[in-house]
Amino acid sequence: MKQKKMKKVLSATLAAIIATVGMTSPVLAKDEKVTIRFYSTLGEAEPGHKPMLEVLEQFEKDNPDINVELEVQSSSQYHEKLVSEIASDTLANVFMHWGGAEMAEAVASGKVMDVTELMDKDPEFKAQFPEITLKGTNNTYEGKEGIWGVPFSNVSAAFYYNKALFEEAGIEKVPETWSELLDAVEKLKAIDVIPWSLGAKDGWRVEHLVSAIFYRLNGVEGARKLADRSMKYSDPEVVKAWEMLAELVEMEAFGPEPASVDSATEMVMVQTGKAAMTFSLSAFVESYAGEASEVADNIGFFNMPVIEGYEQYKANNFGGGDVALGIATNATEEQIEASWKLCKAFSGAEGQAVFANANALIMTNNQVETDPEKVNRLSQDFADVINKADAVCTDLTNYDSVATLLTKVRDVATALVNGQMTPQQAGEEIDAEIELYSE
């Protein structure tokens, strides 16, 4: 997606007497507002953007004494700015995050609020989340007791594919093994369509794919081994994931110049039938199989194929806890109270229903009532990627302590697709980053 940044001020409101959430607070004057910043990754091109504005609009009606300054920035630029704001202690009052090393650092340095006490004082709200969700890698950190975010979304990834193009190419069933996937690529090339759309210009698109391949080769446990340094990125079992990506590039599975394609173009190529499949996120079910897609009726689903010889990891999937809402500590008590109310608006049953009915997320809240006429037909397939897995993890670097590593992996991913480094060099480059920033 094109990086888009915008600021929008939305007023929203607290009751005349602020509800107590573990802190005492004065009654606000009638014309006084509490202003909080909200930093969101839901850019205009993403399915979650419109429901986000809808939830904020309702929050505005319910809470006229809170002023919410909304800043939206998509994709990798969001991550880079989040890292910068953590370092400078200028975090927004409420901010979306995925956990990871930079958040672990922010938690350890006291820049993020532990919401355990607020959750415990609001048991009805806390009960809306499964225990496993509250303990996800985007809410908890090794060696630091507490809940450091309010669960907002889960995510999974699998293939969207064009059934009509598969049939035209003579592909009788969806690939279940890696060999069958490569065979499908060759058959799709033969009918002169791009087999597999990949926005490699945006490193996160490639990193997600490499992570998913890695879990099929080494299991989710492999990510923990990388984090505790019992496995190196330059080890053969890790490099193999990069080699499999390089093979796909070499055979032009992604077309002739994937490194020049961004994530927005990747999506359009599938939506218009110019590409036959893409490995992408559950958040985009409506974009591919909804009104926005010219080929919606032909879009089907299949999971990451099993890699022969590694069948023991056939149910280790890319997925799990995605976005959590963090609350910054560099604030007044009134701002923290307002921030908690905003988090509840987004993660409570009513707010989650708005997102779920827009097919913008896999819910974290277990008390949501959805409209079956609005929920996309592929939503349950993507939910099952998590529900039926032996183990799940999102980014490969989730457990790592080096704050710069996710950005580095994404940069290396794009460089490899662009032919600027070999698979072995990719692993060595990441190891060098770890050595540079490790204590």
Side-chain angles (χ1 to χ4, degrees):
M1 285 162 222
K2 291 182 180 179
Q3 308 305 319
K4 294 192 178 181
K5 179 178 178 182
M6 74 172 195
K7 286 189 178 179
K8 181 173 183 174
V9 176
L10 294 165
S11 48
T13 138
L14 202 58
I17 298 177
I18 301 178
T20 301
V21 289
M23 295 157 266
T24 58
S25 176
V27 177
L28 293 175
K30 210 171 190 181
D31 59 349
E32 187 179 353
K33 287 179 179 281
V34 174
T35 296
I36 58 174
R37 286 176 57 217
F38 175 36
Y39 188 33
S40 169
T41 185
L42 299 176
E44 287 182 339
E46 300 194 30
H49 185 75
K50 287 183 179 179
M52 174 186 67
L53 296 182
E54 184 178 337
V55 172
L56 282 172
E57 182 179 3
Q58 185 60 49
F59 188 76
E60 175 182 60
K61 292 176 181 177
D62 294 342
N63 302 281
D65 297 325
I66 303 175
N67 187 59
V68 180
E69 294 182 348
L70 170 65
E71 184 173 352
V72 177
Q73 198 164 54
S74 299
S75 194
S76 58
Q77 288 186 4
Y78 181 98
H79 181 258
E80 290 164 5
K81 183 177 177 184
L82 184 60
V83 171
S84 175
E85 290 202 352
I86 289 171
S88 60
D89 198 17
T90 56
L91 280 168
N93 299 98
V94 178
F95 59 96
M96 292 184 170
H97 67 84
W98 306 273
E102 64 271 7
M103 279 300 298
E105 190 175 289
V107 165
S109 59
K111 296 173 183 176
V112 183
M113 186 172 184
D114 178 4
V115 300
T116 303
E117 183 179 351
L118 297 179
M119 286 280 193
D120 289 344
K121 292 193 174 187
D122 198 343
E124 184 177 339
F125 177 64
K126 184 179 181 180
Q128 295 175 20
F129 304 99
E131 190 66 23
I132 192 171
T133 298
L134 292 173
K135 292 180 178 179
T137 56
N138 55 353
N139 300 309
T140 59
Y141 301 90
E142 192 169 342
K144 194 72 175 176
E145 188 175 347
I147 303 171
W148 303 93
V150 180
F152 173 68
S153 66
N154 288 323
V155 69
S156 67
F159 283 87
Y160 298 91
Y161 80 101
N162 187 314
K163 292 182 281 188
L165 291 177
F166 268 49
E167 183 177 350
E168 183 182 344
I171 303 168
E172 298 179 356
K173 65 183 184 68
V174 296
E176 296 179 359
T177 67
W178 192 258
S179 295
E180 290 174 355
L181 180 62
L182 298 183
D183 183 58
V185 166
E186 294 292 358
K187 288 180 177 178
L188 289 163
K189 285 168 57 180
I191 65 168
D192 201 26
V193 298
I194 292 175
W196 183 338
S197 184
L198 178 68
K201 188 175 181 179
D202 294 329
W204 65 276
R205 295 298 302 119
V206 192
E207 178 262 321
H208 284 177
L209 174 58
V210 170
S211 294
I213 294 171
F214 175 89
Y215 301 145
R216 284 289 198 258
L217 290 168
N218 300 284
V220 167
E221 188 59 30
R224 295 183 184 274
K225 292 179 180 178
L226 286 169
D228 68 19
R229 311 303 178 223
S230 60
M231 180 184 285
K232 297 175 66 175
Y233 280 88
S234 57
D235 287 347
E237 56 266 45
V238 187
V239 171
K240 184 173 177 61
W242 296 106
E243 290 173 342
M244 292 171 69
L245 173 64
E247 180 183 6
L248 290 167
V249 174
E250 178 68 23
M251 67 189 298
E252 295 194 348
F254 311 123
E257 296 182 352
S260 66
V261 177
D262 62 18
S263 54
T265 305
E266 169 191 337
M267 185 178 296
V268 170
M269 288 165 65
V270 177
Q271 290 172 322
T272 57
K274 291 183 173 63
M277 60 180 164
T278 185
F279 181 81
S280 194
L281 300 175
S282 51
F284 298 112
V285 290
E286 193 64 10
S287 299
Y288 287 112
E291 294 181 1
S293 174
E294 296 177 16
V295 295
D297 291 343
N298 281 321
I299 295 296
F301 164 98
F302 67 93
N303 204 349
M304 175 63 70
V306 176
I307 298 172
E308 293 92 335
Y310 299 87
E311 286 81 5
Q312 67 269 37
Y313 301 123
K314 66 181 180 181
N316 278 236
N317 294 334
F318 185 100
D322 183 30
V323 172
L325 301 174
I327 299 176
T329 56
N330 58 349
T332 66
E333 289 187 0
E334 290 81 10
Q335 287 175 317
I336 289 176
E337 291 185 13
S339 298
W340 174 244
K341 286 183 71 73
L342 184 62
C343 290
K344 288 182 65 177
F346 274 96
S347 296
E350 290 185 10
Q352 289 269 291
V354 173
F355 283 92
N357 287 331
N359 298 289
L361 54 71
I362 297 177
M363 299 167 291
T364 56
N365 191 304
N366 60 16
Q367 294 184 14
V368 177
E369 293 184 9
T370 57
D371 184 342
E373 294 185 2
K374 293 180 179 179
V375 175
N376 192 283
R377 59 187 171 81
L378 298 183
S379 293
Q380 189 57 52
D381 291 321
F382 277 93
D384 285 345
V385 170
I386 301 173
N387 297 337
K388 296 182 179 181
D390 292 339
V392 293
C393 188
T394 51
D395 297 313
L396 184 58
T397 59
N398 266 9
Y399 302 105
D400 211 285
S401 60
V402 175
T404 61
L405 204 60
L406 179 59
T407 298
K408 185 65 176 181
V409 171
R410 291 178 174 182
D411 289 345
V412 164
T414 293
L416 185 141
V417 173
N418 208 26
Q420 296 172 316
M421 62 178 60
T422 66
Q424 185 64 40
Q425 288 171 334
E428 291 169 356
E429 186 86 4
I430 299 168
D431 282 342
E433 184 84 358
I434 292 170
E435 185 174 351
L436 180 64
Y437 287 100
S438 296
E439 296 180 356

